[in-house]
Amino acid sequence: DINDKEDSPPLLGHQSPHWSIWDGGKIGGRPSWLNPRDLPESPLRCRGLCSKSDDSTNKDGTPLRFIVQVYCPADDVTENEAAFHRSMYVFACPTCCSSSSWLESDSPEKYSDCVRILRCQLPKQNEFYPSVGNEDDYDGDEWRKHTSEYWSRTTKNDKLNLCAVCGQRGKGKCPKQKLWFCGSDHQKEHLRASKLQTQYENDNNHEVSLRYLPSVCYESELVVE
């Protein structure tokens, strides 16, 4: 059974087929994509101050960090059946948005390029989720279609593999770690994290814990009442 044990952690984002209980969202961790096949180009990068300063070492912009996602269906409000499922995703630049100049600035609007908000929506009948959201049993691939891994495998599209650090679209597979990454920054970060986990926990046989990945925020459930 799905999520039926009292001591089991909640299935955050869109990880449960019971979409009737998707209210709320999640903070931190990796994004849980509502549409796992049509992913944004990766990695999302800051178009703000950190990429425009003369002494910037990253002219392409700092990779944005996933902050929060909220599930907010709007089919009733907008009378738009295509918005039966709708999620909003917020990404922010850890360099610009953590700067004290943000609070001191007289023109905070100049920081708008440091934050990206993505919206995704789907009709009730779609290719990724069951049409009924309160049943326990799903046969065949009906539920597995919600993962990017499924679409990568069935369409033979390697670009749908997700980065092992940020959960965005992967660009290449590391031959040493045998995992996909969106770029060299997260490839190196994951390798360092793997070594730290082995050093402190004597564990190199499991997925790297988020606590060792500095570019991934602490994950928690977002409850909307």
Side-chain angles (χ1 to χ4, degrees):
D1 292 340
I2 296 176
N3 210 27
D4 62 349
K5 297 180 180 179
E6 293 185 0
D7 58 348
S8 297
L11 295 172
L12 305 180
H14 307 304
Q15 300 305 308
S16 169
H18 299 177
W19 48 255
S20 59
I21 59 171
W22 277 358
D23 292 343
K26 75 188 197 80
I27 301 171
R30 303 180 181 96
S32 175
W33 300 110
L34 180 63
N35 182 333
R37 186 187 60 198
D38 304 309
L39 302 173
E41 290 301 318
S42 173
L44 298 173
R45 291 186 177 274
C46 180
R47 297 175 295 192
L49 301 179
C50 69
S51 64
K52 299 174 183 177
S53 63
D54 294 336
D55 59 349
S56 174
T57 58
N58 192 349
K59 295 300 183 182
D60 292 329
T62 304
L64 298 183
R65 193 170 295 179
F66 171 67
I67 305 299
V68 63
Q69 70 179 71
V70 180
Y71 180 65
C72 46
D75 55 317
D76 289 339
V77 177
T78 63
E79 297 184 352
N80 179 6
E81 294 182 355
F84 182 87
H85 294 300
R86 187 178 70 158
S87 284
M88 311 290 284
Y89 301 84
V90 179
F91 297 79
C93 174
T95 301
C96 296
C97 295
S98 63
S99 171
S100 60
S101 58
W102 172 287
L103 299 176
E104 299 169 357
S105 174
D106 294 329
S107 304
E109 63 274 4
K110 69 182 181 180
Y111 287 91
S112 60
D113 286 338
C114 309
V115 177
R116 299 278 295 278
I117 300 177
L118 306 181
R119 180 189 68 187
C120 181
Q121 61 187 40
L122 297 170
K124 184 176 182 180
Q125 302 290 337
N126 60 77
E127 299 178 74
F128 313 112
Y129 302 98
S131 57
V132 178
N134 57 2
E135 294 183 353
D136 291 330
D137 298 322
Y138 300 95
D139 297 327
D141 285 332
E142 187 176 17
W143 168 234
R144 290 190 289 273
K145 291 179 181 180
H146 80 290
T147 66
S148 295
E149 179 185 9
Y150 170 89
W151 291 101
S152 174
R153 185 179 69 253
T154 56
T155 63
K156 301 186 185 307
N157 183 357
D158 286 341
K159 293 184 179 180
L160 293 180
N161 289 290
L162 301 181
C163 175
V165 173
C166 67
Q168 297 183 53
R169 185 193 291 265
K171 287 189 173 180
K173 188 175 185 178
C174 173
K176 181 176 182 179
Q177 302 181 77
K178 301 188 185 306
L179 295 169
W180 289 82
F181 297 98
C182 63
S184 60
D185 289 342
H186 284 175
Q187 180 185 15
K188 295 174 183 177
E189 179 179 334
H190 191 276
L191 184 60
R192 290 192 298 267
S194 178
K195 292 178 179 178
L196 285 174
Q197 181 163 297
T198 301
Q199 177 183 349
Y200 290 110
E201 301 183 18
N202 194 27
D203 181 3
N204 60 358
N205 295 318
H206 296 87
E207 180 180 349
V208 170
S209 172
L210 296 182
R211 71 170 66 95
Y212 295 108
L213 297 170
S215 65
V216 182
C217 300
Y218 178 81
E219 184 178 56
S220 61
E221 183 178 12
L222 175 64
V223 178
V224 178
E225 298 181 348

